[in-house]
Amino acid sequence: MAILVFFIAIWYLSLFSQTFFQHRYAAHGAFKMSKGWERFFYVVAYITQGSSYMSPRAYAVMHRLHHAHTDTELDPHSPSFSPNIFAMMWRTRTFYQDIIHGRMEVEDRFLKNLPEWPAFDRWANGTVSRLLWVAAYTLFFVFFASSPWLFLLLPVVITMGAFHGAVINWFAHKYRYINFKLKNTSMNLFFIDVLMLGESYHNNHHKHPSSINFGKRWHEIDPMYPVIRLFAWLRIIRLPKLAAVVAHKQDATGKL
Ligand SMILES: [Zn+2]
Ligand SMILES: [Zn+2]
């Protein structure tokens, strides 16, 4: 029981950090925040993602490459260029490593308005930190797992951030339905997406990358949208004026 509660908590906390901070904020600049809050969410990302922490800066650069080069050879992760999901995860890892270690030449247009905290990333993205988290997760499982089967969840916990990324980047470029005809394979994976906190409305997202509401049709509830509005109301973040207006109109009409 304790393991399942832990797994569900880590699933959503890690995903919250990824969708809110690394994806919507760092990569797409869907909203702004002060340097202080930015550092706060760096720490939140580190605590919630642990061994699978991803540098917001490297994530953002890699993800911008995905949007600019979707389904081409320059796409860091595309089912069209990998035989299976694990091969795609490995390819993504290579891109990420090349970016974070400065081994890849990146055009200037992908480097604008990025969050930076190099000293923090050096520790949080480093081997020692990752190994310490793995040891902590393993000990937790050893103490609380009531059945050996539960250990099957341990590799998912250790790689949680990458696992979430792979689910979207593989399955939401392969399955289900589209709202917008685009020149790429992006699809909306679920009709109602609570599991991936709105990330699975991936066809919508490729159409409107910096929208604060990933849902477009009446049933496409984006659980992060009210959270973003709440954070804006609490002045933790600032919304660009236009985005707020567009999202509000979409809410009111329920149409695209
Ligand atoms: Zn995509
Ligand atoms: Zn995106």
Side-chain angles (χ1 to χ4, degrees):
M1 186 64 186
I3 295 291
L4 287 179
V5 171
F6 175 73
F7 182 81
I8 292 167
I10 289 287
W11 176 279
Y12 281 108
L13 290 169
S14 169
L15 186 55
F16 162 81
S17 290
Q18 183 165 171
T19 186
F20 175 77
F21 193 55
Q22 281 125 337
H23 187 200
R24 304 188 198 215
Y25 172 70
H28 293 299
F31 43 83
K32 302 218 176 305
M33 65 178 81
S34 67
K35 202 81 198 155
W37 279 114
E38 190 180 284
R39 300 223 152 168
F40 172 81
F41 285 111
Y42 260 93
V43 176
V44 171
Y46 179 56
I47 293 168
T48 55
Q49 292 172 345
S51 55
S52 66
Y53 171 84
M54 298 162 288
S55 153
R57 183 185 185 280
Y59 180 103
V61 171
M62 188 169 77
H63 190 70
R64 289 173 184 184
L65 290 174
H66 170 64
H67 276 269
H69 303 299
T70 317
D71 295 327
T72 72
E73 263 173 272
L74 297 172
D75 186 344
H77 39 73
S78 166
S80 318
F81 284 88
S82 296
N84 59 61
I85 191 168
F86 298 105
M88 188 190 73
M89 284 173 84
W90 193 256
R91 180 183 158 89
T92 312
R93 184 185 174 277
T94 308
F95 265 84
Y96 177 83
Q97 296 287 1
D98 285 350
I99 292 166
I100 201 163
H101 296 300
R103 295 194 294 254
M104 182 189 283
E105 250 197 78
V106 180
E107 290 169 56
D108 282 347
R109 66 185 167 123
F110 299 119
L111 299 172
K112 289 185 180 128
N113 299 320
L114 289 169
E116 311 248 2
W117 197 358
F120 188 87
D121 272 351
R122 255 197 304 283
W123 164 257
N125 196 73
T127 309
V128 176
S129 166
R130 294 207 197 281
L131 288 178
L132 286 173
W133 280 104
V134 170
Y137 296 146
T138 308
L139 277 177
F140 186 82
F141 270 67
V142 167
F143 277 109
F144 291 104
S146 51
S147 149
W149 289 105
L150 289 169
F151 275 86
L152 290 174
L153 295 176
L154 184 56
V156 183
V157 169
I158 291 169
T159 59
M160 192 64 95
F163 183 84
H164 285 140
V167 166
I168 294 303
N169 295 326
W170 183 263
F171 296 103
H173 272 278
K174 263 181 167 317
Y175 300 109
R176 293 294 177 88
Y177 69 100
I178 60 168
N179 284 338
F180 303 101
K181 237 185 160 161
L182 302 173
K183 287 193 186 113
N184 62 56
T185 56
S186 62
M187 301 208 177
N188 291 351
L189 184 58
F190 303 130
F191 289 96
I192 301 173
D193 180 19
V194 177
L195 187 71
M196 298 303 295
L197 296 182
E199 285 283 329
S200 91
Y201 308 129
H202 201 60
N203 174 252
N204 298 352
H205 174 61
H206 269 271
K207 175 74 178 172
H208 300 292
S210 53
S211 169
I212 55 170
N213 185 357
F214 285 180
K216 297 297 171 221
R217 287 162 67 177
W218 66 270
H219 54 81
E220 292 168 351
I221 295 157
D222 176 358
M224 285 307 296
Y225 178 55
V227 177
I228 289 169
R229 298 304 296 229
L230 176 70
F231 282 6
W233 185 71
L234 293 170
R235 298 185 189 248
I236 294 169
I237 59 172
R238 290 186 308 279
L239 300 179
K241 288 224 161 56
L242 187 64
V245 171
V246 171
H248 183 72
K249 267 197 186 153
Q250 283 164 352
D251 273 3
T253 60
K255 286 181 189 152
L256 295 174

